[in-house]
Amino acid sequence: MKRPPWHPRSLRARMVLGTTVLATSAVLLCQAAGLTVLRSWLTGQVDERLADFRPPSRFYEDAAKGEDLPERPGHGDVLPSDFRVYFYDGSGRLLSGSLGGGRDDGPRLPRVVAALGLTDGRPATVPDGTGDGDWRVMADAGPDGMRAVVALPLDTVEGATSKLLWFSLTMGAVVAAGVVLFGNVVVRLGLRTLTRVELTARRIADGELELRVPDSDADTEVGHLGRALNTMLDRLRTALHRTEASEQQLRHFLADAGHELRTPLTSLQGFAELLLGDPHMSVHRREEAHQLIARNADRMSRLVDDLFLLAKLGDSPAMRWEPVDLLSLAADSITTSAVHHPGRSIVLDPLTGAAGAREQADLEVVDTLGDAHQLAQVTTNLLTNACVHTPPGTRIQVRVGTLRTGPHSGGTDRPDRTSANRPLPPGIRVCAIEVADDGPGLEAADARRVFDRFYRAGPTGGADAEPGFGLGLAISSAIAEAHGGRLEIETRPGEGCTFRLLLPHGPMAAVARHTPGPTAQAPSLPG
């Protein structure tokens, strides 16, 4: 809808215009009410004078005889100069004689009484005979069916109301001008804070994103607006920072993934070119090249599978929820790890110690609700990580049981304990699997990075230990988060590492099935 050209565009102009219209209308309305009251009161005074006056009876007789009536009768019967009296005879005709003035100087009266339309004792207004002004008249019954019409001019009433009308119009114009002049100043001062908000918002729109809107007037609407805008700006800045961090993380992820894929691809290309370029290669060397090609292809396949799993876990993991026996799951993982690392000493113990926080003294079945395949992948990753990144002969211990979360038992952060997942509420009972080793441990800076994608410590499990991709702990942390739990590391240099998987216990496991855990920033894919 197109705005009319006279319509003010700024808020200040609209406020001044609205205030001017309201103030002027109020003044004019009050003046109109006063004008109406004054005119009514003055007309009432005229009506009282008409009601109090009665023409002497002898004037009826003189008028009926056709005698001239004096304008100012003597002998004490003086008629005030502004009164006019007209007579109708018994047959209803207007008589030529009048009392108090000439015929032209008076109200315009009909020739016959039937057209008079006056009720005795009730005043009425009629126009002047010359067409200039009005008269107030009242009829009165006389002897022998005669009637007298007493009239008073309304010049005084009209003069007073006319002067008051012009005074009202003048006052309305003065008020309008004053409201425009002083109202503009008052509105400008009142909107000064809003003007500062507007200028700050323009600077923010121009790129100065770290500015804040002034909100010093906390108890005013402008102050409330400033606080709301600052809250919105904080959220926008947070979203922008998260977007920038996500983009940076995505670039790092693509660079790391490309670096991890480049090595097996280069090997594949080299061995393939070797086979094509030397058709007379010996059978032994050809078989060795085929084995290396198959090994690098398998490495690429596992890397792609890990990336795909991370993508699914970061989006909406599809899990098969079922009761899981963590004791059996840990025993199976130990068996699998023993096959791949036959020289390692891995023992299965109950979860005990920590100032009585742990509740098991013997190995017992520990049930939770989750995806058995994914949880088995977590325990296998933890055992593989312990076997690969600790010196030969290091003792590895797997502990299964339940505990109550706290600073001493687990589930919360402290200087030597870190996680990519959020802390669990203290004091709740959870199921736990711990994988502890007596290795050299990690520095605090390295411990904070173990759950990052593509982070790898140098393999110390032996010269033939195959290096991983640095995705195992990231995947394990994402699986723990998807189960409503937490995967954490507790380590100090020279004191080994303890990885602890905490999962909901009992009724909390059912709640975790329907309530996704907190978002883990480190293991999830960006974007």
Side-chain angles (χ1 to χ4, degrees), residues 310-324:
L310 267 180
K312 289 198 304 181
L313 291 172
D315 185 10
S316 55
M319 296 183 293
R320 297 177 57 185
W321 292 91
E322 57 185 356
V324 180

Side-chain angles (χ1 to χ4, degrees), residues 395-414:
R395 184 170 180 267
I396 300 174
Q397 186 179 18
V398 179
R399 297 187 286 260
V400 182
T402 60
L403 58 83
R404 293 193 179 275
T405 57
H408 300 289
S409 56
T412 59
D413 291 332
R414 68 183 194 186

